[in-house]
């Protein structure tokens, strides 16, 4: 109380504020008054309504908590609207080349780089303001601060041009302060931080404590588009806002409510005037584009029903027809008013009341009215969305979110996809814009900066949320994603096929703050999202949507705003289901079991094979004709195609036009994609065969003919009675047990079995040791050694096939290549 009594002595008188007198205002037609909608946002009990009461000179029918429930609870429960008028600021008069977005921080410019053309067009608005307008009307939108009223806050934020973020200087950033800051980031580019209740600081410490509060807020704002926002310390009502809430009745229309005392309101008005920028408005308002957000509806006896709200686009005049899309009816406009003054026309940005006849006010509390036929009912939509980086939870496809469009909030099932594809699309668009920027400059005004037809928000457009204007291509292929990706995956070739789908990379680390994508300077990636509304909504395309998890515990210290988005295309599950082409990547792995003839490639002199044979990919009963022509790939990236089956055991033949250096045992990859909505589950491949790289065949050395009982040359071994003359004596006994027709030497035709740690295989298939007539089972267990590597010893394990081949087991493995010779011992 002592602090309050001291500051009261220096408070300002409301009549000293730089406001215009009623006589000055009445002399100016409403059409010559520029309306600027300023949202007053903040945590509950920070003094928002007291500040509005201090500033306002004109009150609407729903201002300053006039409802009985609000007065009974002592808090704001619904949107309140009031206004005050100022001379048009000097920087908005005459020729002014200042860009409307020049005050934005570098982070803001990065976030909204796609919308720079829209911002640059505002200087042309500035140049014409003096000719079109004489006064500036600041409409204050008093938003609730309680967590349970977040729907109302979101709806109010989407009809504003700038924000006054009211903060209790003694408490600093609170939960709903942070949520209001997130909403402001999506809906506006201009924000002033109002540190209220500085009268509660001890007088001797006031300046120091105020500076500390500013420093804390500056830290909290770091990384947002408002990190350079102006701050001002005030007291909207000395002693607290509860004093203002009970200090007299709401008063008659236009009457200023009494305030016991204020502090530094002049400082706030000075900053407000310096920060005001020309609002983005339709250059040529058209009645065919009229779109009006209704926030209150009430009857007036003998007059009709009055709908108060904000004109979002287009214009309207008396006697024109407007449509109530949700009620499927049309009414004629009987009259227009702007803050109790009759108006002949309203246009984008105006706060107005529309009077119609023969309409039951109970049928509508909030909603939209528009030009007949311009707003359609939509059951679903495709939107480009971005996650709110302060939202700690994951965004899972198939989950339900509260989706707000204007004043309407409905439940919707959301599916996310297309992170990589949309990133490539945005990058391509940015390059095209850079290339055409010089051309557009010479052409003068950029048409892309004009407002789209009938969007559902005013200052809170999707442009300000950093969401680019993109077209959705129904014919584009999209890699399937399970959920929203926190970071874009890197394209690392082979690894991208491992899982076949994209998952939420590293999202489990998000709450611990380890995820780099959630850093203040890096935004989460854009995604396409399919919104399937549980209750259909009336909304035009290009509107800003905000997705939330409002079922989260109200008292939890967590952000409930999940994502923002721009509606791009209508989607109807009945007719469009299955049109979105999403696919999963598949990979099957086979093994090279045999090599074709060697060739020496002409262009680089390397020894390659143009044909290899594979196994372990298909079953023997598989119909190979459906796989002929499919592309296969080796570890080295060499590409070939399946030519035919090979034998009857599921083996296949692969041709490589450019040759391959693959070895036996190397993997062969069959990579393809399958579309989620394809009933045939057909295989699709994007790879293509390389150009042919010819070579010449390498002929194998001629085999020496063995002549029984004769000497083929001076150095040749003599074979006598089936025994080599150079056979060691210890081995001649073994040769006596050699089967008929065999000289005890065979050839390895294949290696198979498990691969040991030393890289060797354990089984060799050998031909030449036996004939078809021999009973190989009688020789089971006989030792066999490799001639090229005598230290490798194996035993015969049985027959293999019916042509005299046998299976030899090598416990320690065999390193000899196919074609090498082995010798059978006793």
């Amino acid at each position: 109380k002592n602090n309050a009594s001291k500051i009261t002595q220096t408070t300002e008188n409301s009549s000293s504020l730089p406001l215009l007198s009623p006589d000055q205002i009445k002399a100016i037609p409403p059409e010559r008054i520029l309306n600027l909608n300023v949202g007053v946002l903040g945590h509950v009990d920070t003094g928002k309504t007291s500040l509005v009461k201090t500033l306002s000179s004109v009150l609407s029918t729903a201002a300053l908590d006039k409802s009985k429930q609000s007065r009974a609870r002592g808090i704001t429960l619904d949107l309140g609207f009031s206004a005050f008028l100022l001379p048009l600021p000097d920087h908005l008069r005459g020729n002014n080349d200042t860009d409307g977005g020049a005050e934005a921080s570098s982070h803001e410019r990065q976030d909204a780089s796609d919308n720079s053309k829209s911002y640059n067009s505002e200087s042309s608005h500035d140049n014409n303001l003096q000719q079109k307008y004489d006064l500036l009307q600041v409409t204050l939108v008093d938003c609730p601060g309680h967590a349970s009223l977040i729907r109302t806050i979101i709806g109010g934020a989407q009809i504003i041009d700038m924000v006054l973020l009211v903060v209790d200087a003694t408490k600093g950033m609170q939960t709903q302060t942070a949520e209001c800051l997130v909403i402001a980031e999506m809906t506006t580019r201009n924000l002033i931080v109002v540190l209220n209740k500085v009268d509660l600081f001890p007088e001797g410490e006031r300046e120091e404590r105020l500076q500390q509060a500013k420093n804390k807020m500056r830290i909290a704002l770091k990384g947002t588009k408002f990190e350079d926002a102006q701050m001002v310390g005030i007291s909207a009502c000395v002693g607290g806002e509860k004093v203002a809430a009970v200090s007299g009745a709401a008063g008659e229309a236009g009457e200023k409510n009494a305030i016991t005392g204020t502090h530094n309101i002049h400082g706030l008005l000075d900053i407000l005037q310096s920060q005001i920028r020309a609002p983005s408005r339709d250059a040529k308002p058209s009645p065919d584009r009229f779109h009006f957000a209704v926030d209150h509806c009430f009857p007036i006896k003998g007059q009709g029903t009055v709908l108060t709200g904000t004109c979002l686009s287009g214009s309207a005049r008396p006697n024109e027809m407007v449509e109530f899309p949700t009620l499927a009816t049309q009414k004629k406009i009987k009259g227009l008013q702007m803050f109790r003054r009759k108006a002949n026309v309203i246009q984008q940005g105006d706060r107005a009341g529309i009077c119609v006849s023969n309409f039951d006010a109970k049928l509508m509390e909030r909603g939209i009215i528009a030009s007949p036929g311009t707003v359609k009912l939509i059951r679903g939509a495709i939107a480009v969305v971005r996650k709110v980086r302060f939202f700690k939870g994951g965004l899972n496809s198939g989950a339900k979110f509260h989706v707000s469009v204007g004043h309407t909030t409905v439940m919707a099932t959301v599916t996310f996809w297309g992170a990589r594809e949309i990133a490539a699309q945005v990058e391509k668009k940015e390059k095209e814009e850079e290339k055409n920027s010089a051309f557009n400059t010479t052409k003068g005004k950029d048409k892309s900066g004009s407002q789209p037809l009938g969007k559902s928000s005013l200052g809170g457009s999707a442009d300000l949320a950093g969401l680019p204007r993109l077209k959705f291509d129904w014919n584009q292929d999209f890699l399937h994603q399970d959920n929203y990706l926190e970071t874009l995956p890197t394209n690392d070739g082979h690894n991208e096929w491992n899982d076949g789908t994209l998952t939420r990379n590293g999202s489990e680390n998000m709450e611990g703050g380890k995820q780099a994508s959630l850093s203040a300077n890096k935004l989460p990636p854009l995604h396409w999202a399919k919104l399937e509304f549980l209750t259909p909504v009336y909304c035009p395309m290009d509107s800003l949507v905000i997705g939330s998890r409002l079922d989260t515990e109200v008292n939890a210290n967590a952000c409930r705003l999940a994502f923002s988005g721009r509606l791009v295309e209508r989607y109807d599950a009945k007719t469009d289901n299955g049109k979105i082409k999403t696919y999963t990547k598949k990979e099957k792995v086979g093994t090279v079991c045999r090599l074709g003839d060697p060739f020496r490639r002409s262009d680089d002199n390397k020894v390659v094979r143009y044909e290899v044979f594979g196994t372990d990919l298909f079953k023997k009963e598989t119909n190979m004709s459906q796989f002929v022509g499919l592309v296969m790939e080796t570890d080295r990236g060499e590409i070939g195609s399946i030519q035919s089956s090979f034998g009857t055991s599921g083996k296949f033949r692969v041709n490589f036009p450019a040759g391959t250096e693959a070895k036996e045992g190397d993997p062969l990859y069959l990579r393809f994609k399958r579309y989620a909505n394809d009933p045939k589950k057909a295989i699709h491949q994007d790879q293509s065969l390389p150009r042919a790289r010819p070579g010449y065949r390498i002929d194998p050395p001629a085999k020496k003919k063995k002549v029984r009982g004769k000497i083929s040359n001076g150095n040749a071994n003599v074979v006598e009675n089936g025994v080599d003359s150079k056979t060691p004596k210890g081995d001649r006994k073994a040769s006596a047990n050699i089967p008929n027709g065999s000289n005890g030497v065979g050839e390895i035709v294949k290696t198979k079995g498990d691969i040991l740690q030393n890289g060797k295989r354990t089984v060799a298939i050998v031909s030449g040791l036996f004939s078809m007539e021999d009973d190989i089972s009688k020789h089971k267990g006989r030792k066999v050694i490799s001639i090229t590597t005598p230290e490798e010893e194996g035993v015969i394990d049985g027959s293999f096939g019916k042509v005299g081949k046998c299976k030899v087991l090598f416990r320690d493995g065999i390193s000899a290549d196919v074609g090498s010779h082995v010798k059978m011992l006793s």
Side-chain angles (χ1 to χ4, degrees):
K1 291 183 178 179
N2 293 335
N3 295 334
S5 63
K6 292 178 181 178
I7 199 171
T8 305
Q9 299 173 3
T10 61
T11 54
E12 304 145 334
N13 190 306
S14 61
S15 62
S16 67
L17 299 180
L19 308 177
L20 300 178
S21 66
D23 292 337
Q24 291 176 298
I25 297 173
K26 290 180 180 179
I28 300 175
E31 295 82 2
R32 301 287 298 178
I33 300 176
L34 173 65
N35 185 66
L36 185 78
N37 299 293
V38 178
V40 183
L41 281 68
H43 195 81
V44 65
D45 286 339
T46 53
K48 299 183 296 297
T49 302
S50 298
L51 176 60
V52 170
K53 183 180 291 187
T54 301
L55 295 175
S56 300
S57 60
V58 183
L59 304 180
S60 71
T61 55
L64 306 182
D65 299 340
K66 283 191 174 181
S67 69
K68 294 181 180 179
Q69 295 87 346
S70 293
R71 290 189 173 276
R73 296 180 59 181
I75 60 173
T76 300
L77 298 178
D78 204 350
L79 298 177
F81 296 89
S82 57
F84 62 93
L85 290 96
L86 296 170
L88 203 64
D90 292 338
H91 63 273
L92 296 184
R93 294 181 177 275
N95 292 328
N96 182 19
D97 295 331
T98 303
D99 188 339
E103 297 292 332
S105 66
S106 58
H107 186 81
E108 178 187 359
R109 288 191 294 270
Q110 177 185 351
D111 291 356
S113 59
D114 294 314
N115 310 305
S116 59
K117 295 179 181 178
S118 177
Y119 293 172
N120 293 336
S121 64
E122 291 180 4
S123 60
S124 61
H125 289 298
D126 295 350
N127 295 338
N128 298 325
L129 286 179
Q130 188 178 22
Q131 300 175 10
K132 294 177 62 176
Y133 302 105
D134 300 319
L135 285 181
L136 174 66
Q137 175 178 272
V138 178
T139 297
L140 299 172
V141 184
D142 186 12
C143 297
H146 198 275
S148 61
L149 303 172
I150 187 67
R151 290 180 177 87
T152 305
I153 302 173
I154 294 173
Q158 295 195 64
I159 58 173
I160 61 175
D161 295 300
M162 65 179 297
V163 167
L164 295 180
L165 183 65
V166 183
V167 180
D168 188 333
T170 64
K171 297 178 181 179
M173 182 74 74
Q174 296 173 272
T175 303
Q176 269 58 64
T177 311
E179 284 193 332
C180 290
L181 179 61
V182 174
I183 294 173
E185 272 208 296
M186 299 180 192
T187 56
T188 186
R189 58 185 170 84
N190 204 356
L191 176 141
I192 298 173
V193 177
V194 181
L195 295 167
N196 195 17
K197 303 186 182 182
V198 297
D199 60 293
L200 299 182
F201 291 141
E203 185 176 13
E205 303 175 6
R206 188 166 298 137
E207 292 301 324
E208 181 182 355
R209 296 280 295 274
L210 177 59
Q211 188 58 46
Q212 291 175 355
K214 288 183 178 180
N215 294 339
K216 290 180 180 179
M217 282 302 302
R218 190 67 66 191
I219 294 173
L221 294 175
K222 189 174 182 181
T224 72
K225 66 165 69 172
F226 305 120
E227 58 187 3
D228 297 326
Q230 294 284 339
M231 298 186 188
V232 58
I234 69 162
S235 287
C237 177
V238 175
E241 66 275 4
K242 300 298 183 184
V243 176
V246 297
S247 60
E252 298 298 325
E255 179 182 345
K256 180 73 178 178
N257 285 268
I259 292 294
T260 57
T262 62
H263 174 68
N264 200 29
I265 297 299
H266 276 293
L268 171 59
L269 287 174
D270 290 341
I271 293 178
L272 181 62
Q273 283 184 300
S274 67
Q275 292 296 299
I276 287 175
R277 294 289 177 262
S280 181
R281 298 289 187 258
D282 287 339
K284 295 181 179 180
S286 169
D288 297 331
R289 301 168 47 172
F290 180 62
H291 190 200
F292 189 86
V294 178
D295 47 60
H296 291 96
C297 184
F298 55 90
I300 297 180
K301 190 174 182 180
Q303 302 263 350
T305 300
V306 175
L307 306 141
T308 63
T310 305
C311 181
L312 303 179
S313 66
S315 64
R317 297 175 183 272
N319 299 319
E320 291 181 346
M321 298 297 294
V322 292
E323 182 180 27
F324 294 76
T326 57
L327 303 175
T329 185
Q330 295 184 16
K331 296 293 179 183
K332 181 184 290 187
I333 297 176
K334 188 176 180 181
L336 299 171
Q337 281 192 1
M338 289 195 291
F339 283 100
R340 305 178 186 271
R341 297 184 63 195
K342 185 177 180 181
N344 296 322
V345 63
I346 60 172
Q347 55 191 14
Q348 187 186 37
D350 287 339
R351 175 75 193 168
I354 299 177
C355 183
V356 297
S357 58
N358 301 321
F359 182 76
D360 186 356
K362 296 179 181 179
L363 296 177
M364 174 178 283
E365 181 180 2
R366 283 203 174 99
I368 59 172
I369 58 177
S371 303
T374 58
V375 179
K376 302 295 184 181
L377 180 71
I378 59 174
R379 293 176 172 83
I382 293 175
V384 52
V385 302
R386 191 193 301 277
K387 180 182 178 181
V388 174
R389 60 183 181 275
F390 303 107
F391 182 74
K392 292 184 178 180
L395 303 184
N396 299 326
S397 290
K400 290 181 172 59
F401 292 85
H402 296 86
V403 177
S404 300
V405 185
H407 288 298
T408 304
T409 299
V410 296
M411 294 294 294
T413 303
V414 185
T415 305
F416 302 96
W417 82 95
R420 290 203 293 191
E421 293 81 2
I422 204 170
Q425 186 177 354
V426 170
E427 183 179 1
K428 180 180 178 181
K429 182 181 178 182
E430 288 176 349
K431 290 181 178 179
E432 291 177 352
E433 288 179 351
E434 289 177 4
K435 185 183 296 184
N436 297 330
S437 59
F439 175 79
N440 290 336
T441 302
T442 59
K443 286 290 184 180
K445 184 177 179 180
D446 185 359
K447 294 181 180 180
S448 65
S450 61
Q451 292 284 2
L453 174 61
K455 58 185 181 180
S456 71
S457 56
L458 183 61
S461 72
D463 294 332
L464 299 177
L467 299 165
R469 300 178 188 273
L470 299 174
K471 292 183 179 179
F472 181 74
D473 186 359
W474 291 92
N475 296 318
Q476 186 176 1
D477 292 349
F478 298 96
L479 179 60
H480 173 76
Q481 294 176 205
D482 291 330
N483 302 301
Y484 187 101
L485 300 183
E486 304 295 339
T487 57
L488 285 178
T490 56
N491 188 358
D492 55 357
H494 171 70
N495 291 334
E496 69 180 32
W497 291 88
N498 286 346
D499 297 325
T501 60
L502 295 178
T503 57
R504 196 176 69 237
N505 275 357
S507 59
E508 62 275 7
N509 295 329
M510 181 174 52
E511 294 187 7
K514 298 179 182 178
Q515 189 53 247
S517 67
L518 297 186
S519 64
N521 294 322
K522 189 172 183 180
L523 295 174
L526 292 166
H527 280 62
W528 289 114
K530 179 176 65 178
L531 310 176
E532 297 179 80
F533 300 115
L534 301 188
T535 302
V537 297
Y538 284 90
C539 177
M541 290 298 101
D542 203 53
S543 298
L544 173 69
V545 296
I546 298 177
S548 312
R549 293 302 299 264
L550 303 183
D551 51 352
T552 307
E553 175 60 37
V554 171
N555 296 323
N557 187 19
C559 178
R560 294 173 291 169
L561 304 172
F563 63 85
S564 61
R566 180 198 293 271
L567 298 186
V568 177
E569 286 276 351
R570 287 182 176 84
Y571 176 85
D572 191 334
K574 294 182 179 179
T575 59
D576 297 330
N577 186 30
K579 285 187 178 181
I580 300 174
K581 301 171 65 176
T582 59
Y583 65 89
T584 55
K585 290 184 175 182
K586 302 289 185 179
E587 181 182 79
K588 304 293 183 181
V589 184
T591 306
V592 176
C593 66
R594 181 174 175 180
L595 301 176
D597 294 334
F599 284 75
R600 190 170 297 279
R601 198 159 49 197
S602 301
D603 55 4
D604 59 3
N605 212 32
K606 287 185 177 181
V607 177
V608 297
R609 317 278 174 152
Y610 290 105
E611 189 175 66
V612 301
F613 301 88
T615 187
D616 301 334
L617 189 62
F618 305 106
K619 297 179 181 179
K620 63 180 181 180
E621 61 269 17
T622 301
N623 180 11
M624 288 293 297
S625 61
Q626 60 183 322
F627 298 101
V628 172
L630 292 182
V631 172
M632 301 204 71
E633 190 174 346
T634 67
D635 269 336
R636 300 174 179 83
E638 300 154 334
I639 296 178
S641 63
I642 298 175
Q643 297 297 302
S644 65
S645 59
F646 182 70
T648 58
S649 59
K651 296 178 182 178
F652 53 94
R653 187 192 311 266
V654 184
N655 176 261
F656 289 84
T660 176
E661 297 181 68
K663 305 296 183 184
E664 287 190 19
D666 285 358
L668 287 171
Y669 300 100
L670 177 62
R671 292 167 175 160
F672 57 94
K673 58 185 183 182
R674 279 204 172 109
Y675 290 94
N677 299 310
D678 183 5
K680 297 181 179 179
K681 303 297 181 183
I683 292 176
H684 299 268
Q685 291 183 311
D686 295 328
Q687 304 101 312
S688 58
L689 293 174
R691 64 178 180 83
R693 299 172 66 184
Y696 56 91
R697 181 175 176 178
I698 302 175
D699 293 326
K703 294 184 178 180
K704 298 179 181 178
K705 294 183 179 180
K706 295 183 175 66
V707 181
R708 187 180 299 275
K710 296 183 179 181
I711 301 176
S712 58
N713 56 56
N715 297 321
N717 297 345
V718 179
V719 180
E720 297 177 355
N721 298 323
V723 180
D724 192 337
S725 61
K726 291 188 177 182
T727 301
K729 293 182 179 181
D731 291 342
R732 293 194 179 190
K733 181 179 178 180
S735 63
N737 294 322
I738 294 174
N740 295 330
S742 171
N743 60 0
V745 177
E747 179 181 350
I748 299 175
V749 297
K750 182 179 181 181
T751 59
K752 57 185 300 185
D754 298 332
I755 299 178
L756 302 177
Q757 293 183 353
N758 57 16
K760 302 178 182 179
R761 292 189 178 272
T762 57
V763 178
I765 307 300
V766 179
S767 65
L769 293 180
F770 304 97
S771 65
M772 294 178 61
E773 294 81 12
D774 290 328
D775 186 359
I776 298 178
S777 62
K778 294 181 179 180
H779 299 273
K780 189 173 183 180
R782 292 187 65 175
K783 294 184 179 179
V784 175
I785 61 172
S786 172
I787 294 178
T788 56
T789 53
E791 69 277 2
E792 295 177 341
E793 185 177 285
V795 295
I796 296 176
D797 186 54
S799 62
F800 185 82
K802 299 180 180 180
V803 291
K805 295 180 183 179
C806 66
K807 184 190 299 183
V808 181
L809 300 181
F810 289 85
R811 180 178 299 176
D812 298 325
I814 181 169
S815 59
D817 296 330
V818 174
S820 301
H821 292 82
V822 297
K823 189 171 184 180
M824 182 172 62
L825 305 179
S826 60

